Amino acid sequence: MAAQPYDQPEPRRPEPRRPEPRTEPRRPEPRPGPDDPYGQQPPQRSRSQDTRTLGNQETIISDAPRRSRRRGSGQPPEPPGPPTKKDGDGRGGWRRFVPSWKIVVAGAVVLAAGLFGMIMVAYANTPVPTSAQSEATAQQSTIYYRDGKNVIAQLGFKREIVPFARMDEDVRNAAVAIENKTFWEDSGISISGMARSVWMTATGQQLQGASTITQQMARGYYDGLSQEVSIQRKVKEIFVAVKLDETMSKEDILSTYLNTINFGRAYGVEAAAKAYFPGKKVTAAKLTPEQGAYLAARIQQPNWDHNSAALQERFKQVINNMAELWPEKYGNLPQTAKFPKTLASAGNDDLGGLNGYMVEEVLNELEGRGLTVDEIKSGGYKIVSTFDKKLMKAAQTAVKSTMQAYGMSTEFHGGLAAVNPKNGRVLAFYGGDDFLTDPWNEPFQSTKQAASAFKPYVLAAWLQAGYSLKSYVPGNQTVPKELPGQQAGGIKNSHNVGVSVDVVKATAASVNTAYVSMAYALPGRLDDVKNLVEAAGFDQKRMEQDVEEHHFQFAIGSALVTPVEQAAGYSIFANGGKYTKYHVVQEVKQNGKVAYPEQAVAKTVVDPGVAADATVAMQAVLQAGGTAAGKGLGTRPAAGKTGTNNDEKEAWFVGYTPQVSTAVGFYREQCVTKTGKVVPPQHSNCPITRKGSKKYDGNNPYTSVKEVSLGFEGAGPPTIAWQKFMQLAHESLPVEQFPDRAEVGVPENIVPSPTPTPTPTPEDENPFGSDNPFDDGSDDCLIGCDDNDVTIPDDDVNVDDGTDDDFGNSDPNDVGLAGQGSVPEPRSSGTQPRATRPEDQ
């Protein structure tokens, strides 16, 4: 715009610095005219350039009022000066980057409005939950026998929802005093509580939850509010709490809270009162101020012990808060209140007698599957066990009557376990008479050397490797004579069986030298046996450790096993080579639906023909000439194996029919003081303390355990107890036959057959029916000359049962549910060397 002329022009200023030349074309400079002393009059446009001609005055006219440029009357404006850099009104330096306070305020208002809007939208879209969590309506759980009808035990306390009026005022006030002082005034949340929580948590003083009673009730009762730690969950919880405070009365909120909160032993104030305080008439409506304060103190940490030091400190805090909030009622309580008397446990929960042992095994199995004891006690589960009520009593009767008949004192310990070989279910066991006084469960917890009852697994590995029952094995000394891990003087037998014996006779007479030599002759030696027993459910760590420590004594039973492992392990012989991991739970239901199904996956450990032939050898144990002759089940087919450890410290019998596999084991322990005095056990346990003395405790026990000789072998009381139980167990069962002898494998003679060469022992012949067990009066004959002898080619040894889970064809590290390890691959005959340990002396 051209400059405007003034009335009295001022003297001209020096020419300002000219701007840099512009790249675009410029208009021609105007020439000075007579009325334009400064030469700044704009040029007149011709009509060819515009439709009208404007005068100089018209160029400064606008529609809006003009602000004068003059600083004073008749004075033109001065050019702008430089900006003030310091202590002036300018915004030079860093100040030019700072927004004005108006912008800051405006931005804060916009941001606050946006956040408020977002919160209101989220609040409006947050529904109040209508369905309750399962924990909020927790019920006691019931454990049944395998019929699903007869009850073993009920766990936890039955939830009893009581109205607000039936909750003692003291317990209501105590909960408010310790959990939410402003409960009756707040809107469901506490801003001051949240701030205090943040500060105390940040400074490490105490971990604070900052949740009001309304928030805790919402989180613990309504479905959809998880327990996860997240901002999203916390915000949702706050919204729900505010809405609940608007829609529910304070009385209803507190009532719901006290009926659902976890107090440790029970959910809900009514059940908690009965769980912690003595007396049959205790209810939530009849609590003292101290009892109410005790229950309120448990809310923060429900898992505290019933009289722990931390709980007592929390109890004092509840009392002080009650006095602070209601001084007219509880003002003197801090001086008079005493920590209330409480029950040491939540009651027996039907754990007396045999019940406790069954309950404990059920809880242990379910805990291994992720279901905790607390969840069981409050989850309202229907748990069907595998235990048979009649057989549990039969097991107790069989063992106790045998111990009484033999005059055994409390130093003697007996354990029995019976398993259904077809599905791995533990049908019955005996491990003690009263769980409350003696909670040690013999068949599940006592690990003892298996002795000769371990030999059938060597036999199974032998047959699986392609060798037959007709093989001749050493009778008087091992082959080779010296083996790793052998006892001083070598591994020997308790009786003379001759230089050579076939595998059936070696099993019936429990010949140590034969079985150690058989293990040495296996293609994989001890690894074949170890892999097989791990596949049959035995603890892998124990098996590996024993092989490392005892070497070839492993083949004759140096490994530590439990009766229930043995009963389940023999299932591979009773069930055609298949093993199912033993278990005690059939089914767990909640609200009518199956929550935890039965775990019963069968795996093939050995071929069916191997199981059949091994059974033939073990039937001979119960027949004339066998170590347990005359102690079978009459006309009902049965098979098994005795076992007696060195010095008769452990004695076993493990036997089976197609329907039941049972293991019985005995051992004896004396309680000896440091001076050598033998003290009687207390409830089968060696005493740790001495009455009237403070000298002894867990670190300095009064007595120690010393295992001593039983004075009998496996063919004695263990076999008698087994026979008694099996007769009772099969009273209502039909007679089932074992499979016919399969004649798997080919003979593998570790030693030459005796001279004159006997024929292999028929399955129905007395193994030692003559003075010379190897001379039956027949003509000399080599192996295989008998018309009845059947030789199965190597390719036919591994019988395919149509499954894909045969351990013999699987990765040895893939143990699955059936056990740990794999079985040896079958092979053609051929002698290969191996190693052993001592046994039945």
Side-chain angles (χ1 to χ4, degrees):
M1 181 182 295
Q4 179 179 336
Y6 298 93
D7 295 336
Q8 293 182 358
E10 294 180 346
R12 295 189 62 176
R13 298 177 181 274
E15 285 288 300
R17 181 176 170 179
R18 298 178 62 86
E20 294 293 327
R22 301 175 65 178
T23 57
E24 61 272 20
R26 299 187 61 184
R27 296 178 182 176
E29 293 291 336
R31 295 176 180 270
D35 298 325
D36 186 7
Y38 297 99
Q40 296 180 2
Q41 182 176 356
Q44 298 293 326
R45 297 184 181 180
S46 64
R47 290 187 180 270
S48 62
Q49 294 175 318
D50 204 340
T51 57
R52 62 190 178 97
T53 303
L54 301 177
N56 183 48
Q57 295 298 325
E58 292 177 60
T59 60
I60 64 171
I61 297 175
S62 67
D63 296 333
R66 241 180 99 73
R67 181 180 296 176
S68 173
R69 292 176 179 266
R70 289 174 289 183
R71 298 174 61 87
S73 177
Q75 298 293 327
E78 296 185 46
T84 303
K85 294 183 179 181
K86 192 173 182 181
D87 300 331
D89 295 331
R91 296 181 60 82
W94 61 271
R95 287 183 177 84
R96 68 178 181 270
F97 299 108
V98 179
S100 106
W101 66 271
K102 296 179 181 180
I103 296 176
V104 172
V105 172
V109 171
V110 172
L111 180 62
L115 290 174
F116 181 76
M118 292 172 62
I119 292 173
M120 293 306 297
V121 170
Y123 176 78
N125 291 328
T126 300
V128 175
T130 56
S131 59
Q133 298 178 14
S134 59
E135 291 82 358
T137 56
Q139 301 286 333
Q140 64 182 174
S141 294
T142 305
I143 300 178
Y144 296 86
Y145 285 100
R146 68 172 179 163
D147 59 9
K149 298 178 181 179
N150 287 295
V151 175
I152 297 175
Q154 290 182 317
L155 305 181
F157 285 81
K158 186 176 180 180
R159 177 181 291 278
E160 300 177 56
I161 305 299
V162 295
F164 185 80
R166 285 178 54 193
M167 296 179 184
D168 191 276
E169 183 182 13
D170 293 327
V171 72
R172 301 196 308 249
N173 290 342
V176 170
I178 193 63
E179 292 296 323
N180 185 189
K181 291 182 178 180
T182 62
F183 169 74
W184 295 105
E185 295 83 27
D186 62 38
S187 58
I189 60 174
S190 173
I191 302 300
S192 61
M194 294 180 187
R196 183 174 60 256
S197 169
V198 171
W199 169 252
M200 297 189 73
T201 302
T203 57
Q205 298 180 53
Q206 186 179 358
L207 184 62
Q208 293 284 318
S211 295
T212 63
I213 285 177
T214 309
Q215 288 175 262
Q216 292 182 55
M217 186 274 284
R219 181 172 65 247
Y221 182 78
Y222 288 107
D223 196 15
L225 287 176
S226 66
Q227 303 293 324
E228 63 176 331
V229 179
S230 67
I231 296 177
Q232 182 180 4
R233 193 274 300 166
K234 193 68 177 179
V235 171
K236 185 177 181 180
E237 176 190 301
I238 291 173
F239 290 164
V240 171
V242 173
K243 287 193 172 185
L244 288 175
D245 193 75
E246 294 175 349
T247 58
M248 294 177 66
S249 69
K250 290 289 188 179
E251 288 78 7
D252 288 343
I253 292 174
L254 186 58
S255 175
T256 304
Y257 175 75
L258 291 175
N259 273 317
T260 58
I261 200 70
N262 181 13
F263 290 95
R265 292 179 184 171
Y267 284 78
V269 67
E270 179 77 359
K274 296 177 180 180
Y276 287 106
F277 305 126
K280 295 182 179 181
K281 296 183 179 181
V282 173
T283 66
K286 299 178 181 179
L287 296 177
T288 66
E290 291 84 356
Q291 289 175 328
Y294 175 88
L295 293 180
R298 298 198 63 88
I299 295 174
Q300 185 188 55
Q301 294 290 339
N303 292 327
W304 273 335
D305 189 62
H306 72 106
N307 61 355
S308 68
L311 178 60
Q312 295 188 40
E313 287 299 318
R314 183 77 171 172
F315 168 80
K316 293 178 182 178
Q317 185 178 351
V318 177
I319 294 295
N320 291 334
N321 287 7
M322 293 172 69
E324 176 187 340
L325 289 178
W326 298 282
E328 68 285 352
K329 185 173 184 178
Y330 304 114
N332 296 327
L333 195 59
Q335 290 76 40
T336 61
K338 294 182 179 180
F339 194 77
K341 182 179 180 180
T342 56
L343 297 171
S345 66
N348 294 338
D349 279 335
D350 301 329
L351 299 183
L354 301 180
N355 290 354
Y357 299 105
M358 292 184 280
V359 170
E360 187 73 6
E361 293 308 316
V362 168
L363 296 180
N364 288 339
E365 183 171 314
L366 291 178
E367 188 171 11
R369 299 180 64 181
L371 188 60
T372 66
V373 174
D374 286 341
E375 290 171 333
I376 292 173
K377 289 185 175 182
S378 61
Y381 293 101
K382 178 182 178 180
I383 303 168
V384 181
S385 73
T386 62
F387 306 125
D388 185 282
K389 185 176 182 179
K390 185 187 79 169
L391 296 186
M392 285 295 298
K393 292 297 294 183
Q396 182 185 36
T397 299
V399 177
K400 289 192 67 176
S401 64
T402 302
M403 295 178 73
Q404 291 170 359
Y406 279 81
M408 299 184 200
S409 67
T410 54
E411 294 178 350
F412 290 79
H413 302 264
L416 181 151
V419 173
N420 185 335
K422 298 176 181 179
N423 51 33
R425 295 175 181 173
V426 179
L427 299 173
F429 64 91
Y430 172 76
D433 293 313
D434 189 356
F435 179 80
L436 297 178
T437 58
D438 182 18
W440 186 262
N441 192 336
E442 295 289 351
F444 285 87
Q445 294 178 279
S446 293
T447 56
K448 298 296 179 181
Q449 288 187 324
S452 289
F454 199 76
K455 288 174 181 174
Y457 304 112
V458 179
L459 174 60
W462 175 265
L463 297 172
Q464 184 74 12
Y467 308 144
S468 77
L469 293 176
K470 297 176 182 179
S471 305
Y472 280 93
V473 291
N476 287 340
Q477 65 180 21
T478 61
V479 175
K481 187 174 182 180
E482 294 185 4
L483 291 165
Q486 69 182 24
Q487 62 192 36
I491 293 174
K492 300 182 182 302
N493 303 310
S494 60
H495 51 284
N496 183 9
V497 296
V499 176
S500 178
V501 63
D502 68 26
V503 173
V504 173
K505 292 177 181 177
T507 305
S510 194
V511 181
N512 292 336
T513 53
Y515 267 89
V516 172
S517 301
M518 289 165 63
Y520 190 87
L522 290 172
R525 297 188 177 176
L526 287 183
D527 284 343
D528 286 355
V529 182
K530 182 179 71 69
N531 290 338
L532 189 147
V533 295
E534 288 173 1
F538 289 89
D539 183 82
Q540 182 178 15
K541 184 177 180 181
R542 275 191 264 127
M543 299 303 107
E544 291 178 347
Q545 183 177 353
D546 191 76
V547 169
E548 183 179 350
E549 291 180 0
H550 296 109
H551 302 288
F552 277 86
Q553 294 190 66
F554 178 74
I556 52 176
S558 59
L560 301 177
V561 299
T562 65
V564 71
E565 285 178 327
Q566 280 285 63
Y570 271 46
S571 294
I572 66 174
F573 307 114
N575 190 36
K578 293 183 178 180
Y579 171 80
T580 303
K581 182 176 176 61
Y582 69 84
H583 55 281
V584 299
V585 176
Q586 284 192 71
E587 184 180 70
V588 179
K589 283 187 174 182
Q590 187 181 44
N591 300 324
K593 298 181 180 179
V594 176
Y596 293 85
E598 182 176 13
Q599 287 188 330
V601 179
K603 294 285 186 178
T604 299
V605 177
V606 295
D607 298 331
V610 169
D613 281 4
T615 296
V616 169
M618 283 187 278
Q619 282 182 288
V621 173
L622 291 166
Q623 295 169 357
T627 55
K631 297 173 182 174
L633 302 179
T635 59
R636 184 183 295 271
K641 186 70 186 72
T642 56
T644 309
N645 196 10
N646 292 342
D647 301 323
E648 298 179 344
K649 288 183 178 179
E650 287 107 36
W652 294 84
F653 188 82
V654 186
Y656 57 94
T657 66
Q659 296 117 312
V660 183
S661 176
T662 300
V664 179
F666 281 90
Y667 66 96
R668 181 182 180 185
E669 291 179 342
Q670 289 184 339
C671 306
V672 183
T673 65
K674 293 181 179 179
T675 60
K677 181 181 178 181
V678 177
V679 178
Q682 295 178 354
H683 304 296
S684 299
N685 299 308
C686 289
I688 296 176
T689 60
R690 181 181 179 183
K691 186 176 182 180
S693 174
K694 298 181 179 179
K695 178 180 178 181
Y696 303 103
D697 55 24
N699 296 322
N700 182 34
Y702 174 52
T703 63
S704 59
V705 176
K706 180 182 178 181
E707 190 167 354
V708 297
S709 176
L710 286 163
F712 55 76
E713 296 181 344
T719 306
I720 297 297
W722 175 87
Q723 184 185 46
K724 289 180 178 179
F725 171 78
M726 292 292 275
Q727 288 173 343
L728 293 171
H730 287 82
E731 280 183 346
S732 58
L733 298 179
V735 175
E736 288 189 21
Q737 301 296 327
F738 288 123
D740 293 335
R741 179 168 176 166
E743 296 285 5
V744 299
V746 294
E748 178 68 14
N749 295 337
I750 299 176
V751 293
S753 60
T755 303
T757 304
T759 56
T761 306
E763 58 183 333
D764 58 350
E765 180 183 338
N766 179 352
F768 301 101
S770 64
D771 294 336
N772 183 352
F774 307 111
D775 185 2
D776 60 358
S778 63
D779 295 334
D780 292 350
C781 181
L782 298 177
I783 296 298
C785 64
D786 192 321
D787 292 339
N788 294 325
D789 289 346
V790 178
T791 300
I792 300 178
D794 293 347
D795 293 341
D796 295 331
V797 172
N798 230 352
V799 180
D800 186 1
D801 63 353
T803 63
D804 297 328
D805 52 4
D806 192 317
F807 275 69
N809 299 322
S810 63
D811 183 348
N813 297 319
D814 183 13
V815 299
L817 291 174
Q820 300 167 322
S822 60
V823 300
E825 293 286 352
R827 73 176 182 97
S828 58
S829 63
T831 303
Q832 302 223 357
R834 200 90 229 205
T836 244
R837 103 152 236 200
E839 228 259 9
D840 299 351
Q841 294 293 330

